Coordinates of all heavy atoms in Angstrom, one line a residue:
A364 N 9.7 -41.4 21.0 CA 10.5 -41.0 22.1 C 9.9 -39.7 22.7 O 10.0 -39.5 23.9 CB 11.9 -40.8 21.8
H365 N 9.3 -38.9 21.9 CA 8.7 -37.6 22.4 C 7.2 -37.6 22.6 O 6.6 -36.5 22.8 CB 9.2 -36.5 21.5 CG 10.7 -36.2 21.5 ND1 11.6 -36.9 20.7 CD2 11.4 -35.4 22.3 CE1 12.8 -36.5 20.9 NE2 12.7 -35.6 22.0
M366 N 6.6 -38.7 22.4 CA 5.1 -38.8 22.6 C 4.8 -38.5 24.1 O 5.3 -39.1 25.0 CB 4.6 -40.2 22.3 CG 4.5 -40.4 20.8 SD 3.2 -39.5 19.9 CE 1.8 -40.4 20.3
P367 N 4.0 -37.5 24.3 CA 3.6 -37.1 25.7 C 2.5 -38.1 26.2 O 1.8 -38.7 25.4 CB 3.1 -35.7 25.6 CG 2.5 -35.6 24.2 CD 3.3 -36.6 23.3
D368 N 2.4 -38.2 27.5 CA 1.2 -38.9 28.0 C 0.0 -38.0 27.7 O 0.0 -36.8 27.9 CB 1.3 -38.9 29.6 CG 2.1 -40.1 30.0 OD1 2.2 -41.1 29.2 OD2 2.6 -40.1 31.2
T369 N -1.0 -38.6 27.1 CA -2.1 -37.7 26.7 C -3.5 -38.4 26.9 O -3.6 -39.6 26.8 CB -2.0 -37.2 25.3 OG1 -3.2 -36.5 24.9 CG2 -1.8 -38.4 24.3
K370 N -4.4 -37.5 27.2 CA -5.8 -38.0 27.3 C -6.6 -38.0 26.0 O -7.7 -38.3 25.9 CB -6.6 -37.2 28.4 CG -6.0 -37.3 29.8 CD -7.0 -36.8 30.8 CE -7.0 -35.3 30.9 NZ -5.8 -34.6 31.5
L371 N -5.9 -37.6 24.9 CA -6.5 -37.5 23.6 C -6.9 -38.9 23.2 O -6.1 -39.8 23.2 CB -5.6 -36.8 22.6 CG -5.4 -35.3 22.7 CD1 -4.4 -34.9 21.6 CD2 -6.8 -34.6 22.5
A372 N -8.1 -39.0 22.7 CA -8.6 -40.4 22.3 C -8.1 -40.7 20.9 O -7.9 -39.8 20.1 CB -10.1 -40.4 22.3
N373 N -7.8 -42.0 20.7 CA -7.4 -42.4 19.3 C -6.3 -41.6 18.8 O -6.4 -41.0 17.8 CB -8.7 -42.4 18.4 CG -8.5 -43.2 17.2 OD1 -7.5 -44.1 17.1 ND2 -9.3 -43.1 16.2
C374 N -5.2 -41.7 19.5 CA -4.0 -40.9 19.2 C -2.9 -41.7 18.6 O -2.6 -42.7 19.0 CB -3.6 -40.3 20.6 SG -2.5 -38.9 20.4
H375 N -2.3 -41.1 17.5 CA -1.3 -41.8 16.8 C 0.0 -41.1 16.8 O 0.0 -39.8 17.0 CB -1.7 -42.0 15.3 CG -3.0 -42.7 15.1 ND1 -3.2 -44.0 15.0 CD2 -4.3 -42.1 15.1 CE1 -4.5 -44.3 14.9 NE2 -5.2 -43.2 15.0
C376 N 1.1 -41.8 16.6 CA 2.5 -41.1 16.5 C 2.8 -40.9 15.0 O 2.9 -41.9 14.3 CB 3.5 -42.0 17.2 SG 5.2 -41.5 16.9
Y377 N 3.1 -39.7 14.7 CA 3.4 -39.3 13.3 C 4.5 -40.1 12.7 O 4.4 -40.7 11.6 CB 3.8 -37.8 13.3 CG 4.0 -37.2 11.9 CD1 3.0 -36.5 11.3 CD2 5.3 -37.3 11.3 CE1 3.2 -35.9 10.1 CE2 5.5 -36.7 10.1 CZ 4.5 -36.0 9.5 OH 4.7 -35.4 8.2
E378 N 5.6 -40.2 13.4 CA 6.8 -40.9 12.8 C 6.5 -42.4 12.6 O 7.0 -43.0 11.7 CB 8.1 -40.6 13.6 CG 8.6 -39.2 13.5 CD 9.0 -38.8 12.0 OE1 9.3 -39.7 11.2 OE2 9.0 -37.6 11.7
E379 N 5.7 -42.9 13.5 CA 5.4 -44.4 13.4 C 4.5 -44.6 12.1 O 4.7 -45.5 11.4 CB 4.7 -44.9 14.6 CG 5.7 -45.2 15.7 CD 5.1 -45.7 17.0 OE1 3.9 -45.9 17.0 OE2 5.9 -46.0 17.9
L380 N 3.6 -43.7 11.9 CA 2.7 -43.8 10.8 C 3.5 -43.7 9.5 O 3.4 -44.5 8.6 CB 1.6 -42.7 10.8 CG 0.6 -42.7 11.8 CD1 -0.4 -41.5 11.6 CD2 -0.3 -44.0 11.7
V381 N 4.4 -42.7 9.4 CA 5.2 -42.5 8.2 C 6.2 -43.7 8.0 O 6.3 -44.2 6.9 CB 6.0 -41.2 8.3 CG1 7.0 -41.0 7.2 CG2 5.0 -40.0 8.3
G382 N 6.8 -44.1 9.1 CA 7.8 -45.2 9.1 C 7.2 -46.5 8.6 O 7.9 -47.4 8.0
A383 N 5.9 -46.7 8.7 CA 5.3 -48.0 8.4 C 4.9 -48.1 6.9 O 4.5 -49.1 6.4 CB 4.0 -48.2 9.2
E384 N 5.1 -47.0 6.2 CA 4.6 -47.0 4.7 C 5.8 -47.0 3.8 O 6.9 -46.7 4.1 CB 3.8 -45.7 4.5 CG 2.5 -45.6 5.4 CD 1.6 -46.8 5.2 OE1 1.5 -47.4 4.1 OE2 0.8 -47.1 6.2
S385 N 5.5 -47.4 2.5 CA 6.5 -47.5 1.5 C 6.8 -46.2 0.7 O 7.8 -46.0 0.1 CB 6.1 -48.6 0.5 OG 5.0 -48.2 -0.2
G386 N 5.7 -45.4 0.6 CA 5.8 -44.2 -0.3 C 5.5 -44.6 -1.7 O 5.5 -43.7 -2.6
D387 N 5.2 -45.8 -2.0 CA 4.8 -46.2 -3.3 C 3.3 -45.8 -3.5 O 2.4 -46.6 -3.3 CB 4.9 -47.7 -3.5 CG 4.6 -48.2 -4.9 OD1 4.5 -47.3 -5.8 OD2 4.5 -49.4 -5.1
F388 N 3.1 -44.6 -3.9 CA 1.7 -44.0 -3.8 C 1.6 -43.0 -5.0 O 2.5 -42.1 -5.2 CB 1.6 -43.3 -2.5 CG 0.3 -42.6 -2.3 CD1 -0.9 -43.3 -2.0 CD2 0.2 -41.2 -2.5 CE1 -2.1 -42.7 -1.8 CE2 -1.1 -40.6 -2.3 CZ -2.2 -41.3 -2.0
A389 N 0.5 -43.0 -5.7 CA 0.2 -42.0 -6.7 C -0.8 -41.0 -6.1 O -1.8 -41.5 -5.4 CB -0.4 -42.7 -7.9
W390 N -0.5 -39.7 -6.2 CA -1.5 -38.7 -5.7 C -2.9 -39.0 -6.2 O -3.1 -39.4 -7.4 CB -1.1 -37.3 -6.1 CG 0.3 -36.9 -5.7 CD1 1.3 -36.4 -6.6 CD2 0.8 -36.8 -4.4 NE1 2.4 -36.0 -5.9 CE2 2.2 -36.2 -4.6 CE3 0.4 -37.0 -3.1 CZ2 3.0 -36.0 -3.5 CZ3 1.2 -36.8 -2.0 CH2 2.5 -36.3 -2.2
V391 N -3.9 -38.8 -5.4 CA -5.3 -39.1 -5.8 C -5.7 -38.0 -6.8 O -5.5 -36.8 -6.5 CB -6.2 -39.0 -4.5 CG1 -7.7 -39.0 -5.0 CG2 -5.9 -40.2 -3.6
P392 N -6.2 -38.4 -8.0 CA -6.5 -37.4 -9.0 C -7.6 -36.4 -8.5 O -8.6 -36.9 -7.9 CB -7.0 -38.2 -10.2 CG -6.6 -39.6 -9.9 CD -6.4 -39.7 -8.4
V393 N -7.4 -35.2 -8.7 CA -8.5 -34.2 -8.4 C -8.6 -33.2 -9.5 O -7.7 -33.1 -10.4 CB -8.1 -33.4 -7.1 CG1 -8.1 -34.2 -5.8 CG2 -6.7 -32.7 -7.2
D394 N -9.7 -32.5 -9.5 CA -9.9 -31.4 -10.5 C -9.2 -30.1 -9.9 O -9.2 -30.0 -8.6 CB -11.3 -31.0 -10.7 CG -12.0 -32.1 -11.5 OD1 -11.3 -32.8 -12.3 OD2 -13.3 -32.2 -11.3
E395 N -8.7 -29.3 -10.7 CA -8.0 -28.1 -10.2 C -8.9 -27.2 -9.4 O -8.4 -26.4 -8.6 CB -7.2 -27.3 -11.3 CG -8.1 -26.8 -12.4 CD -7.4 -25.9 -13.4 OE1 -6.2 -26.1 -13.5 OE2 -8.0 -25.0 -14.0
T396 N -10.2 -27.3 -9.7 CA -11.1 -26.4 -8.9 C -11.6 -27.1 -7.6 O -12.3 -26.5 -6.8 CB -12.4 -26.1 -9.8 OG1 -12.8 -27.4 -10.3 CG2 -12.0 -25.2 -10.9
D397 N -11.1 -28.3 -7.3 CA -11.4 -28.9 -6.0 C -10.8 -28.2 -4.9 O -9.7 -27.6 -5.0 CB -11.0 -30.4 -6.0 CG -11.9 -31.3 -6.8 OD1 -13.0 -30.9 -7.1 OD2 -11.4 -32.5 -7.1
A398 N -11.4 -28.3 -3.7 CA -10.8 -27.6 -2.5 C -9.5 -28.3 -2.1 O -9.4 -29.5 -2.2 CB -11.8 -27.7 -1.4
S399 N -8.6 -27.5 -1.7 CA -7.3 -28.0 -1.2 C -7.0 -27.6 0.2 O -6.3 -28.2 0.9 CB -6.2 -27.6 -2.2 OG -6.0 -26.2 -2.1
G400 N -7.5 -26.4 0.5 CA -7.1 -25.8 1.9 C -8.3 -25.0 2.4 O -9.2 -24.6 1.7
M401 N -8.1 -24.7 3.7 CA -9.2 -23.9 4.4 C -8.5 -23.1 5.5 O -7.7 -23.7 6.2 CB -10.2 -24.9 4.9 CG -11.4 -24.3 5.4 SD -12.4 -25.6 6.2 CE -13.0 -26.5 4.8
C402 N -9.0 -21.9 5.7 CA -8.5 -21.1 6.8 C -9.6 -20.2 7.2 O -10.2 -19.5 6.3 CB -7.3 -20.3 6.3 SG -6.5 -19.3 7.5
Y403 N -9.8 -20.1 8.5 CA -10.9 -19.2 8.9 C -10.4 -17.8 9.2 O -9.3 -17.6 9.6 CB -11.6 -19.7 10.2 CG -12.6 -20.8 9.9 CD1 -12.2 -22.0 9.4 CD2 -13.9 -20.6 10.2 CE1 -13.2 -23.0 9.1 CE2 -14.9 -21.6 9.9 CZ -14.5 -22.8 9.4 OH -15.4 -23.7 9.1
T404 N -11.2 -16.8 8.9 CA -10.9 -15.4 9.2 C -11.0 -15.3 10.7 O -11.6 -16.1 11.4 CB -11.9 -14.4 8.6 OG1 -13.2 -14.7 9.1 CG2 -12.0 -14.6 7.1
S405 N -10.3 -14.2 11.2 CA -10.2 -14.2 12.6 C -11.5 -13.8 13.4 O -11.6 -14.0 14.6 CB -9.1 -13.2 13.0 OG -8.8 -12.3 12.0
G406 N -12.5 -13.4 12.7 CA -13.8 -13.2 13.3 C -13.8 -12.2 14.4 O -14.3 -12.4 15.5

Side-chain angles (χ1 to χ4, degrees):
H365 293 90
M366 283 290 280
D368 275 340
T369 174
K370 293 196 282 292
L371 285 176
N373 199 11
C374 197
H375 307 269
C376 167
Y377 184 97
E378 288 299 334
E379 280 179 2
L380 291 179
V381 170
E384 301 299 334
S385 66
D387 182 13
F388 177 81
W390 302 123
V391 171
V393 291
D394 288 335
E395 63 175 22
T396 49
D397 283 345
S399 63
M401 190 186 287
C402 183
Y403 277 68
T404 61
S405 18

